[in-house]
Amino acid sequence: LDESFTSSSVLVATADLSTGSGSKATFVSEQDPNNAAISSGNLVLSLVKSDSGYAGSTAYFTRWIHYGTVTAVVRSGSTTPGVVSSFQLQSDDGSSIDLDWVGASSNRVQANYYTNGQIDLSKAAAPILTADPTSSFIVYKIVWLPDSLTWYANGLAVRTVNRRDTWAEGEQRFDYPDKPARLSFAIWDASSSANSALTQEWAGSMQTNESKFSMAIKSVTVQCYSNTTLQNAHGSTDSNASSAAEQQESDAEPSESVSRENLSDFGLDREESKTTTTLSSSTSSMNGNEDDLSKWLANFTTSAASRQLNSFGAISSFLIAAGLAVTFGA
């Protein structure tokens, strides 16, 4: 996929996906009302105020991905506390790989993942961006390989997780995302979740009368890892036209053309340039740990019943965990 959103035909509502108008679509809006649109060469997702509160928007890629590199040029819509913007790879087994922006700390991007619907509040890394992500388009990238997972912001690796380091002895498995996933972008109100107290603790609560917030995606590229396929929304598969595995592995390293002596060029503070697998508490403790709540606690309406069931299971898991007296940072 190499999508620059120059045509409105690349986005359809769920009801139109199986019709003639959906044949050219690369993204589908799965919420009602439909607050997603192609505008001025961008995919624009809006959070719109109504008499009953704010209605958000989610757009899903119409194919499934099993390892690869996903690059998106994004402007966050999280300009005020309570607004969450997301860039995610979600599997139907409850696994997710995320980049999130929350209004309570709008100058940060949060990199997180979890597997099998198991919520781990200690995983999120939240580096500070020197470029304002709510007013600037910034290049973000997720490189998902069978043995490693790396998140980037404008060329700098802000976090890396190696599969070999995720072994869970009790479960006798690697807690590493390894199932086909669906790319999505979303914007939503933290107070509309199934457990709004917790999501507002993470993202903040609305303190404004603004009628609309918008997240914009200027472009998206997807390069699949070698020997995998993309599966479309109708269940058939497309042959893989990605680069070779060696190229993907090379892509997992920071670009040599990026100078770490001029961190402002790629939107990160100098003090955070050494961050890889973990960050210091000064960058991760500020609302950074609750990132994974956004998928399973938000009341998104999708057409995939299995995803809803997974969501409810994960919510139950979280409520059990919440009983263990987890305390969130302000």
Side-chain angles (χ1 to χ4, degrees):
L1 173 71
D2 187 0
E3 184 58 71
S4 55
F5 302 108
T6 57
S7 171
S8 60
S9 65
V10 302
L11 174 70
V12 297
T14 302
D16 298 324
L17 185 60
S18 60
T19 67
S21 61
S23 62
K24 297 180 180 179
T26 53
F27 282 87
V28 56
S29 175
E30 295 196 351
Q31 285 181 272
D32 187 20
N34 182 3
N35 291 324
I38 304 297
S39 177
S40 301
N42 299 316
L43 169 61
V44 180
L45 307 179
S46 297
L47 178 65
V48 181
K49 189 175 184 180
S50 66
D51 293 339
S52 58
Y54 284 92
S57 180
T58 304
Y60 286 93
F61 183 34
T62 55
R63 302 290 188 271
W64 291 80
I65 305 164
H66 197 195
Y67 303 125
T69 298
V70 182
T71 305
V73 182
V74 177
R75 185 178 65 213
S76 164
S78 301
T79 57
T80 192
V83 181
V84 183
S85 303
S86 299
F87 163 12
Q88 304 166 336
L89 291 169
Q90 296 177 301
S91 301
D92 275 344
D93 72 340
S95 299
S96 189
I97 303 167
D98 317 326
L99 281 167
D100 289 324
W101 303 261
V102 299
S105 51
S106 61
N107 62 337
R108 298 174 183 262
V109 62
Q110 300 190 13
N112 200 15
Y113 79 101
Y114 56 94
T115 59
N116 301 298
Q118 296 180 343
I119 297 174
D120 187 337
L121 302 181
S122 67
K123 287 183 176 178
I128 297 172
L129 301 170
T130 56
D132 182 359
T134 66
S135 61
S136 304
F137 280 98
I138 295 176
V139 181
Y140 300 95
K141 180 166 64 175
I142 296 172
V143 178
W144 176 33
L145 301 176
D147 59 356
S148 67
L149 176 59
T150 304
W151 296 256
Y152 292 85
N154 272 2
L156 180 68
V158 298
R159 184 182 183 187
T160 295
V161 172
N162 293 308
R163 181 179 181 273
R164 65 175 179 268
D165 298 326
T166 67
W167 178 253
E169 185 65 30
E171 291 80 10
Q172 290 292 295
R173 68 168 181 244
F174 289 97
D175 282 336
Y176 184 82
D178 60 6
K179 300 295 189 298
R182 200 174 178 197
L183 167 66
S184 69
F185 298 94
I187 186 169
W188 57 284
D189 173 15
S191 70
S192 67
S193 72
N195 197 323
S196 59
L198 292 175
T199 51
Q200 288 180 98
E201 192 77 51
W202 165 56
S205 57
M206 288 284 191
Q207 303 291 331
T208 179
N209 289 320
E210 288 187 55
S211 60
K212 186 176 182 179
F213 302 89
S214 294
M215 172 189 191
I217 301 92
K218 182 178 290 293
S219 65
V220 180
T221 60
V222 177
Q223 291 177 297
C224 286
Y225 188 79
S226 184
N227 299 322
T228 62
T229 59
L230 291 178
Q231 186 177 50
N232 65 29
H234 302 292
S236 62
T237 57
D238 296 332
S239 60
N240 176 35
S242 67
S243 56
E246 291 79 9
Q247 291 174 305
Q248 290 292 347
E249 290 166 358
S250 174
D251 198 19
E253 298 299 326
S255 170
E256 293 181 359
S257 66
V258 176
S259 170
R260 290 178 179 270
E261 296 304 311
N262 189 4
L263 299 179
S264 62
D265 286 348
F266 44 87
L268 289 161
D269 284 342
R270 181 183 304 275
E271 62 184 323
E272 307 203 43
S273 65
K274 297 180 181 179
T275 299
T276 53
T277 304
T278 58
L279 293 172
S280 66
S281 59
S282 64
T283 61
S284 61
S285 62
M286 180 179 178
N287 302 311
N289 292 336
E290 302 87 341
D291 160 76
D292 42 5
L293 300 179
S294 66
K295 276 65 61 184
W296 307 117
L297 299 183
N299 284 328
F300 289 152
T301 300
T302 74
S303 62
S306 60
R307 182 176 290 107
Q308 291 176 327
L309 292 174
N310 283 334
S311 299
F312 297 147
I315 293 170
S316 299
S317 298
F318 174 77
L319 294 177
I320 293 171
L324 299 178
V326 174
T327 304
F328 299 95

